[in-house]
Amino acid sequence: MADASPQIRLPGRNALSGRPAITHANQDGGKPGLVIEELVHLGKLNIRGAADILPGITAQTGCQSLPENNRFVTIGERHLAWLGPDEYLLLCEAGREDEIQTRLRQDFEGIHAAVTNVTDGLCALGIRGGSVRKVLAKGCALDLHEEVFAAGQCAQSLLSHAGITLLATGETRFVLVCRTSFAPYVVDWLVDAALEYGVSYRT
Amino acid sequence: MLLINCPHCGPREESEFSCGGEAHIARPLAENTLTDAAFADYLFLRDNPKGLFLERWRHAAGCRRWFNMARDTVTHEIIEIYPMGSLPKTKAGKVAHAASWRRETAAEAAAKPAKAKAPRAKKENG
């Protein structure tokens, strides 16, 4: 948005603060099969409401239609993901969530809808690499074949018992959203599962 | 492991779901007029049939929505998945619903609105 303020302050800590980077080489040489990065402070808003929230969503995010079941729409840096029949997750630029929440609340006045800031409650990881689907498949029951779980698909599921929201942003790229308190576990599990392919966790 | 077809998310593994027990237990409206024994039918007694069972399930790790399921407790075959607040549409499901001992209880009779004559589907809360 045009009025991006330079005064946005981000909190000093994030979900994975203080954890060292981890690198295990790919045994076959070449790039690591999995690269994990925390999308630090990525803004996250949980939006609930029926179809009448669309005008507000369009005005504040530029999204022209609500995502269909199991899909997300991308508008610039923002993703709006379907979570349930009347529930959506908006991922937005770091530091912008308060402003978007305030505006959405104004737009939703008088309709049965809610916007909740869940930025600190959830941790978003960007995961990518040639083996990313193989690694996820070790702990997730979703059909992760690239033709089934294609770019634009999203799903809430379990990754080794931890609840996750998975957004396929490309054939070998995902955004994985989990609870902040589960983030260290999820990263440790991903690193362990990806040892055979080579893995790089970057801070 | 069951593959459950969530009405909103599509086929997902059973571990994502939680079972909410017997479906179609309607709460008595004027519970103070019921005997304790009749209220206990509603509050405590649950069916445990061998064969087709109408259950409530929730997609706990997914969309977190409730739905009803007609499942065979012997073969684990899922006959039907239908929304909360509605009755089964398959013949086997209808038979299982009608044959339940609960249909004859005073608690269920007391769950009908006073006007009565409402179609059966409306008095159920799943």
Side-chain angles (χ1 to χ4, degrees), chain A residues 113-188:
Chain A
V115 192
T116 312
N117 187 345
V118 290
T119 299
D120 293 335
L122 298 175
C123 170
L125 300 169
I127 54 176
R128 61 180 196 271
S131 303
V132 62
R133 287 175 190 264
K134 283 189 252 179
V135 174
L136 289 172
K138 289 184 180 186
C140 180
L142 289 173
D143 186 344
L144 289 165
H145 191 280
E146 52 262 27
E147 285 176 12
V148 179
F149 202 77
Q153 292 275 116
C154 69
Q156 293 179 90
S157 187
L158 298 171
L159 182 70
S160 185
H161 309 286
I164 56 159
T165 307
L166 200 58
L167 286 75
T169 49
E171 199 168 306
T172 57
R173 284 173 172 272
F174 292 86
V175 174
L176 188 160
V177 182
C178 64
R179 298 214 178 243
T180 296
S181 51
F182 275 86
Y185 166 77
V186 168
V187 168
D188 286 344

Side-chain angles (χ1 to χ4, degrees), chain A residues 67-71 80-85 87-88 154, chain B residues 8-9 63:
Chain A
E68 293 168 27
N69 291 22
N70 298 318
R71 299 196 70 84
L80 184 68
W82 179 93
L83 295 184
E87 188 174 8
Y88 304 90
C154 69
Chain B
H8 306 295
C9 304
C63 59

Side-chain angles (χ1 to χ4, degrees), chain B residues 23-72:
Chain B
H24 308 302
I25 304 175
R27 185 181 173 94
L29 293 174
E31 57 271 76
N32 54 345
T33 62
L34 278 185
T35 63
D36 285 356
F39 196 70
D41 287 346
Y42 156 76
L43 191 60
F44 297 118
L45 288 192
R46 295 293 179 266
D47 216 354
N48 184 24
K50 183 179 181 184
L52 196 63
F53 191 31
L54 307 180
E55 298 170 313
R56 302 177 301 165
W57 282 75
R58 185 170 71 101
H59 194 186
C63 59
R64 298 190 294 284
R65 295 309 186 280
W66 286 91
F67 54 90
N68 288 319
M69 184 195 293
R71 180 178 66 95
D72 193 305

Side-chain angles (χ1 to χ4, degrees), chain A residues 4-61:
Chain A
S5 158
Q7 291 141 12
I8 289 172
R9 289 224 184 130
L10 298 171
R13 273 183 65 81
N14 52 291
L16 294 163
S17 278
R19 289 177 69 85
I22 303 170
T23 306
H24 289 278
N26 186 341
Q27 303 290 317
D28 303 328
K31 291 181 184 173
L34 182 73
V35 177
I36 310 166
E37 274 173 309
E38 185 189 355
L39 306 174
V40 181
H41 299 310
L42 188 74
K44 306 164 199 83
L45 294 176
N46 184 291
I47 302 169
R48 295 206 63 173
D52 53 1
I53 63 170
L54 180 59
I57 297 277
T58 307
Q60 304 312 336
T61 68

